[in-house]
Amino acid sequence: MGQMVNIVQNNVMRITALFLLIFIGNFVLSPVVAQDRYVLVIHGGAGTILKSQSTPEQEKRYKESLEQALHAGQLVLQKGGQALDAVEAAVRVLEDNPLFNAGKGAVFTNQGKNELDAAIMDGRSLAAGAIAGVTTIRNPISTARAVMEQSEHVMLTGLGAEQFAKEKGLELVDPSYFHTPERWRSLQRARHRDSLDNLKKSQLPLAKEEAMLIRKEKYGTVGAVALDKHGNLAAATSTGGMTNKKWGRVGDAPLIGAGTYANNLSAAISCTGWGEYFIRLVMAKSICDQMEYGGRSLQDAANEMVLKKLPALGGDGGLIAVDKEGNIAMPFCTEGMYRGYIRQDSLNGPIKKEVALFKN
Ligand code: ASP
């Protein structure tokens, strides 16, 4: 009888210990603690805007468009949705808007086509998906997400990516859907400036005026980064690349670590600007590494990369970033960058929102 009682007591203790282990393990293994804060930051490209050439009406249109994208992402975050869903929702709105160089309204290649690139990354797991050089996918960011979630790969290009999108039931359109007269005119102007090609090919720093001439016509990209109420980060970037690009050129936007990166341990980052320089600096991942391994703040690391290292090489552009604490950075070394953020720092706290085009 006494033996029976001992066996029962032992088993009860074992089971209790097991439950305790599972309970404690849950806290230790999931550093992500639910919180009531959310942050969404977006950009619509850097470099294309010159204060001297924009009218108040144009500025208003851009600001309203940025607000629409913020609203789409906020709808997700406010109700406790995932950062990943929020960045995808915000970028889709910008892809559908012909004002921005992504999706409809993308710039033209030298051959008169629109070749689109996009990437998305989940800071929880470092899962990532990207596509490059596609011409028939209406919302490249959603296909990038499908690559991440429904394939064993990270990056698909050209016809293969389009075949994948078709198989996954994503929306395909006729390439003419992306055409806009304004971008077509930009291509004609860029072709006339082709004499600058030798300079563009060079990796040597350009004189300021030469770089100005090239970038005025070339850039644009859209992106979003978010911190959700669960403490998770995500980043998304989508672009038509650079006007007059040739030979299947791909920029930084779809390259994980260069134009797009997210890691719950540091930050989520989406870049815009002269892609070749962002690739050479491995921009987004460099900032995350400086934070994770060097203990630097987001603002310090981002400012150093964008305001010092990038122009020192002869490149330019900007980025948006949010870190795991909800700090935001939006440095750029061009005259302007279409950008905005929305945030709420506590459950019933005020919702803060701002959109801007030029330096304050
Ligand atoms: N970074 C993009 C690219 O080089 C262009 C841009 O952001 O404006 O393709």
Side-chain angles (χ1 to χ4, degrees), residues 68-354:
Q68 279 164 13
L70 284 175
H71 180 66
Q74 187 211 7
L75 280 181
V76 176
L77 295 170
Q78 177 94 58
K79 59 173 195 250
Q82 288 183 38
L84 204 55
D85 291 325
V87 294
E88 183 187 0
V91 165
R92 280 180 68 100
V93 169
L94 296 167
E95 284 178 337
D96 288 344
N97 188 325
L99 289 179
F100 301 101
N101 172 19
K104 185 164 182 66
V107 299
F108 284 91
T109 66
N110 179 259
Q111 292 187 317
K113 295 185 353 183
N114 306 102
E115 290 179 357
L116 314 171
D117 308 329
I120 194 162
M121 187 158 184
D122 186 345
R124 282 176 298 196
S125 55
L126 304 188
I131 57 170
V134 300
T135 58
T136 61
I137 296 175
R138 176 174 168 165
N139 290 108
I141 200 64
S142 296
T143 301
R145 181 160 181 187
V147 172
M148 175 175 88
E149 289 176 341
Q150 300 176 50
S151 87
E152 68 214 74
H153 307 299
V154 168
M155 187 171 202
L156 303 179
T157 63
L159 291 177
E162 288 170 359
Q163 180 62 32
F164 171 82
K166 193 171 167 198
E167 284 172 26
K168 299 298 171 196
L170 293 155
E171 188 176 357
L172 300 183
V173 289
D174 187 85
S176 61
Y177 162 81
F178 299 107
H179 293 194
T180 54
E182 177 48 41
R183 300 293 189 201
W184 184 252
R185 281 194 290 275
S186 293
L187 174 64
Q188 307 317 315
R189 288 191 290 264
R191 279 175 174 162
H192 279 123
R193 283 200 311 272
D194 240 9
S195 55
L196 286 166
D197 253 12
N198 288 334
L199 288 166
K200 278 180 273 171
K201 269 184 266 171
S202 159
Q203 298 200 355
L204 298 173
L206 294 176
K208 205 173 167 205
E209 314 74 60
E210 293 156 350
M212 235 346 229
L213 262 177
I214 295 173
R215 74 166 175 249
K216 241 172 61 180
E217 206 70 80
K218 298 232 139 205
Y219 297 172
T221 278
V222 307
V225 295
L227 171 71
D228 66 28
K229 288 187 175 183
H230 312 283
N232 293 318
L233 294 168
T237 314
S238 182
T239 188
M242 291 174 86
T243 307
N244 203 23
K245 63 186 182 181
K246 298 180 183 132
W247 307 303
R249 179 264 186 193
V250 173
D252 60 314
L255 299 186
I256 299 303
T260 307
Y261 201 74
N263 182 345
N264 268 12
L265 296 178
S266 46
I269 300 179
S270 170
C271 302
T272 170
W274 198 329
E276 278 68 11
Y277 294 92
F278 283 75
I279 296 172
R280 289 164 60 195
L281 287 167
V282 199
M283 180 64 83
K285 175 76 159 65
S286 296
I287 293 169
C288 287
D289 284 352
Q290 288 178 43
M291 295 172 69
E292 187 180 346
Y293 305 121
R296 292 189 86 176
S297 72
L298 172 64
Q299 195 72 56
D300 270 6
N303 280 353
E304 163 137 4
M305 293 300 291
V306 174
L307 306 180
K308 291 190 188 148
K309 300 269 187 215
L310 180 62
L313 279 189
D316 61 11
L319 59 82
I320 52 165
V322 59
D323 72 13
K324 58 186 173 148
E325 319 290 350
N327 299 305
I328 290 175
M330 301 187 283
F332 55 96
C333 61
T334 42
E335 199 172 315
M337 179 169 82
Y338 303 106
R339 62 199 187 279
Y341 73 83
I342 191 158
R343 65 181 305 144
Q344 189 173 27
D345 290 301
S346 57
L347 192 54
N348 295 315
I351 294 175
K352 294 180 209 147
K353 186 171 73 172
E354 210 178 304

